[in-house]
Amino acid sequence: MAATNGTGKPLLEFILNGIPGLEHAHLWISFPFFSMYLIGMVGNCGLLYIIWTEEALHRPMYFFLCMLSITDIVMGTSTMPKAFCIFWLNLKEIDFNSCLVQMYIVHTFTGMESGVLMLMALDRFVAICYPLRYATILTNPLILKVGLVTFIRGAVLILPFPFLVRKMQYCNTNVIAHTYCDHMAVVKLACGSIHVDAIYGLTVALLIGGFDIFCITVSYFMILKAVVGLSSKEARSKAFGTCTAHICAITVSYTPAFFTFFAHHFGGHSIAPHVHIIMANLYLLLPPMMNPIVYGVKTKEIRESVLRLFSKGKTMVPHGH
């Protein structure tokens, strides 16, 4: 049973209006968005293929990177195809239940992204602070368990969102000023009180984002302490180098995430709606695009694997006479 509007009739669909105030520019906005989405999908699929085929990369750090790539693929694919339908074909309608499913997937996997970044910080902490025990601490069964727990945490904490949205009444409009079904963008259409939803949303953000950021901060504080204590300048440089890609990934993921979160909960009318919605889309496009590039450039093993793959491809192509 779908939620009802003020007249008691069931609400069967929402209208996703795209980027408010920039409807005339949807086509032009779609080109950079599509380029970012395409680069992200190709990059992450390529990263998964390289890690899968290269036995030398079957190590904890790269297993966590696989989790990050899968999360990025799901985040982008759950939202962008519909956004391109809005931009290119003006197909703005989305079934009520499809909207709830999209909302659940987006928020579950953004929580998963945060959790994987936290696990990667712990991985770097163990690698630098306990290098001799690294292989015995981070075993494959443990990696599988912590990955599963991270997914379950997001899946369980986000589960009330669609149920809270479903029980609401929508009196005025079913038009969502967004390109996808974001939780707060949907509940703001309700005619009743949304305090429960807003408070629960803040609680989930603290339980997931707050906890993960705390763990990342503590991990890097301990890493910094250990690195400063190293006698060799070369060893310090190498230790910092292994963390560079991960610090870039954290920055790229959390910057638009923070902006989107604060704009929804505290921004009010101080942030232009189109700026907010563009940033919300970049939140789902930037990490998937940048993570494979950053790890490809900064990680020696991945760089060498890519070069080997291309050199293999060249040798397989017969030369013309």
Side-chain angles (χ1 to χ4, degrees), residues 48-201:
L48 287 170
Y49 175 77
I50 285 163
I51 294 168
W52 179 266
T53 54
E54 287 282 340
E55 212 163 307
L57 301 180
H58 292 180
R59 301 203 326 256
M61 176 185 164
Y62 300 106
F63 291 144
F64 289 130
L65 191 50
C66 280
M67 289 182 202
L68 192 67
S69 286
I70 292 165
T71 305
D72 284 340
I73 289 167
V74 175
M75 274 167 55
T77 306
S78 64
T79 53
M80 295 322 294
K82 180 60 189 174
F84 298 133
C85 285
I86 297 165
F87 294 153
W88 296 337
L89 306 170
N90 208 35
L91 296 174
K92 298 182 176 185
E93 300 82 7
I94 185 167
D95 174 74
F96 184 86
N97 291 321
S98 300
C99 186
L100 296 188
V101 170
Q102 188 188 57
M103 178 197 299
Y104 181 70
I105 292 170
V106 168
H107 289 291
T108 297
F109 279 87
T110 50
M112 177 81 180
E113 172 109 349
S114 176
V116 174
L117 288 171
M118 180 263 291
L119 293 176
M120 291 173 90
L122 294 175
D123 167 73
R124 292 298 83 207
F125 162 69
V126 175
I128 290 167
C129 298
Y130 302 99
L132 301 176
R133 293 171 57 200
Y134 180 73
T136 53
I137 294 171
L138 287 174
T139 59
N140 287 352
L142 180 68
I143 290 163
L144 187 65
K145 281 174 192 168
V146 293
L148 198 59
V149 166
T150 304
F151 173 74
I152 291 167
R153 177 189 69 165
V156 170
L157 286 173
I158 300 301
L159 195 58
F161 279 9
F163 291 102
L164 287 167
V165 169
R166 182 181 281 277
K167 71 174 180 61
M168 288 181 165
Q169 288 197 328
Y170 302 88
C171 334
N172 304 316
T173 180
N174 65 338
V175 178
I176 304 168
H178 215 305
T179 56
Y180 62 88
C181 291
D182 177 83
H183 173 242
M184 286 307 294
V186 175
V187 299
K188 281 177 181 176
L189 301 182
C191 43
S193 170
I194 63 167
H195 286 317
V196 174
D197 294 76
I199 290 165
Y200 185 70

